[in-house]
Amino acid sequence: MPNRTPPRARPRPLPRLELAARPRPWACALGLAAVVLAGAWLGLLVVGAVRVPVGPVDTTMALRPSLTGGTRIDVSPLGSLALDSHAAPVRLDVNVDRLDPPRSQALVDHPERISGLQDEIVRDVEHGTRDLAVRSCVAVVLGATGLGLAVYRRPRRALAAGGLALALLAASGASAYATWNPKAVLEPRFSGLLASAPSVVGNARSIVTEFDVYQKELARLVTNVTKLYDATSTLPAYRPDPSTIRVLHVSDIHLNPASWKIIGSLVKQYQVNVIVDSGDTMDHGTAAENGFLDPIRDLGVPYVWVRGNHDSRTTQRYLERMRNVRVLDDGRAVTAGGLRFAGIGDPQFTPDRSAVPGGEAAERLAGARLASALRDQQAAGTPVDVAVAHEPAAAEETDGEVPLVLCGHLHHEGTRMLPYGTRLRREGSTGGSGLRAVERGHPAPIQASILYFDRDSRRLQAWDAIELGGLGLTTAEVSRHLVDENQPGATAPSRSPSPTPPSASPGTSP
């Protein structure tokens, strides 16, 4: 049989080779950015802090990523100070670690060294910030390079990550320099133990008159912290400046019994000369509520009061019988604590909205009556220093007739300059909105203010806004504010607001 050659197997087709999809450029860029940011942050966190002796205390300085920038000074166990010193994606953290016993004892043994302590602190801070800048640069480069090497395993990519991190830090430093606010230390926000705030920050008059350079302010701040640490088991008492009048402004207590303890503590701690209550002390104004007012007798200072829309005439008559209470109504003026006050009660009584309110028109009319009374006092040679009303709408009508007007009603604090030169200061709720605090998802804070007046000119020079955590909370914050004309280097204004507003139109005056 003939040999048959088996048929040849058809060759199998080779698999088609496709090029692997190249990564998209934006994905690579995002990945590199993530590596740079994470590496720089880790570097700052691990090796970016420096230990700096500042005067008699040891501190730790560090840069931290932040959306808002600023400076945070932690003074354990007293709390912390926040300063709006700059706007940049990095925040300067300063931890006051401990008081160095030998250096502190040297100050005690040689008091003459106190005079040169501020210059020494300035030099220490400058030296510490230079060291921090160098160490931060090294930290971000090492952190980003190390993480880049771990992720990419390619030295060139790792070095690129380190270079980008250094450029990012340099840009952040330039942003901080461009937005640097040397006056930020004049208005710190203090969190922690409320009792220590006045001692750490200093009194208003010394801030206004003694310091005009940021380094000196910072030196004074650290010096006061040193004094606090040098105390044993109790904080040093706040020594009031005899030339400063202190006014405690409260409002909208709304039958909160805890408010009287807070007010009593503030009166004692800040050496308050007079209390001003801009109304809504009660909730329904009934005679049964009058006993709630009895603690006012024991506060030990004059209590200036105006009626709010939750306070009745019954409430007003009960307060008028107390020896230390000065009830202001219909433009009546009194002198208390070294200042001249005039005020008017709220024309509306709407504790439960059962009465038809007169609305803003009634408030404006009451404010016009108060403005007329202020003009009468000016003409009689007894000008009023502070006007008081409950509603902001009524308070606005006094613009140009008085340097300062106080009000409440809205349960949140605020300050603004009116068009003709009067400053309107609105207080929040010193009772944390009373029983209304439980109606919200978050408790309303308890707010009050300490107002500092120059005894000679009787003009407001600064105020401390005090905020305590509401029902069930234990937080405390004090922020210092200076009026613009009392900023260092500013010239003092005249006593009368200017320009003079136009005279009231017919029908608006009583």
Side-chain angles (χ1 to χ4, degrees), residues 6-32:
R8 291 174 95 183
R10 297 180 62 185
R12 294 180 181 179
L14 296 174
R16 297 179 63 186
L17 297 178
E18 295 183 358
L19 294 176
R22 299 182 63 182
R24 298 179 180 178
W26 61 266
C28 294
L30 286 179
L32 182 60

Side-chain angles (χ1 to χ4, degrees), residues 399-441:
D399 186 16
E401 308 296 346
V402 68
L404 175 68
V405 60
L406 305 178
C407 62
H409 185 65
L410 298 183
H411 292 201
H412 59 86
E413 62 90 22
T415 303
R416 61 191 176 97
M417 293 298 298
L418 299 178
Y420 295 102
T422 293
R423 183 183 299 274
L424 186 149
R425 170 67 187 161
R426 184 184 65 245
E427 192 51 79
S429 174
T430 310
S433 299
L435 293 177
R436 293 162 184 77
V438 300
E439 297 175 355
R440 309 176 182 179

Side-chain angles (χ1 to χ4, degrees), residues 331-342:
R332 179 194 176 200
V334 299
T335 300
L339 296 173
R340 186 85 169 156
F341 297 91

Side-chain angles (χ1 to χ4, degrees), residues 37-275:
L37 292 175
W41 182 80
L42 288 174
L44 289 175
L45 192 64
V46 176
V47 296
V50 295
R51 297 291 300 273
V52 181
V54 179
V57 298
D58 291 330
T59 68
T60 301
M61 295 184 179
L63 293 179
R64 294 289 181 258
S66 171
L67 295 177
T68 57
T71 300
R72 181 182 177 87
I73 304 173
D74 288 320
V75 191
S76 178
L78 303 178
S80 63
L81 286 157
L83 308 176
D84 294 328
S85 57
H86 62 275
V90 289
R91 183 186 73 228
L92 174 61
D93 284 357
V94 181
N95 292 323
V96 179
D97 298 326
R98 71 184 186 96
L99 181 72
D100 184 75
R103 301 202 303 270
S104 176
Q105 188 62 42
L107 288 176
V108 175
D109 296 338
H110 303 280
E112 67 276 5
R113 295 184 182 179
I114 293 290
S115 59
L117 181 60
Q118 292 185 356
D119 293 334
E120 178 186 346
I121 290 173
V122 171
R123 291 192 298 270
D124 291 343
V125 170
E126 290 176 348
H127 178 73
T129 52
R130 284 196 299 268
D131 288 351
L132 178 62
V134 174
R135 192 177 184 92
S136 297
C137 291
V138 175
V140 298
V141 171
L142 290 179
T145 302
L147 186 60
L149 192 60
V151 171
Y152 297 113
R153 301 183 183 278
R154 293 161 65 182
R156 182 174 295 180
R157 276 291 182 91
L159 291 175
L164 288 174
L166 183 60
L168 178 63
L169 182 63
S172 300
S175 175
Y177 180 80
T179 59
W180 181 249
N181 177 21
K183 295 181 180 179
V185 75
L186 295 173
E187 298 185 359
R189 296 186 304 277
F190 181 87
S191 302
L193 294 178
L194 175 61
S196 67
S199 300
V200 175
V201 177
N203 65 65
R205 186 172 179 84
S206 65
I207 285 179
V208 172
T209 59
E210 295 177 16
F211 303 106
D212 57 357
V213 180
Y214 176 78
Q215 287 94 336
K216 291 184 179 180
E217 287 291 342
L218 189 60
R220 172 62 179 267
L221 197 64
V222 177
T223 303
N224 284 339
V225 170
T226 300
K227 293 177 182 177
L228 285 176
Y229 268 85
D230 198 35
T232 54
S233 60
T234 60
L235 293 173
Y238 180 52
R239 298 178 181 178
D241 183 348
S243 65
T244 301
I245 299 173
R246 291 166 177 77
V247 176
L248 171 60
H249 183 200
V250 301
S251 189
D252 296 86
I253 293 175
H254 285 291
L255 283 181
N256 186 345
S259 299
W260 298 126
K261 292 184 179 180
I262 295 171
I263 291 172
S265 176
L266 292 173
V267 168
K268 182 179 180 180
Q269 177 62 34
Y270 284 85
Q271 298 294 307
V272 166
N273 301 102
V274 59
I275 303 170

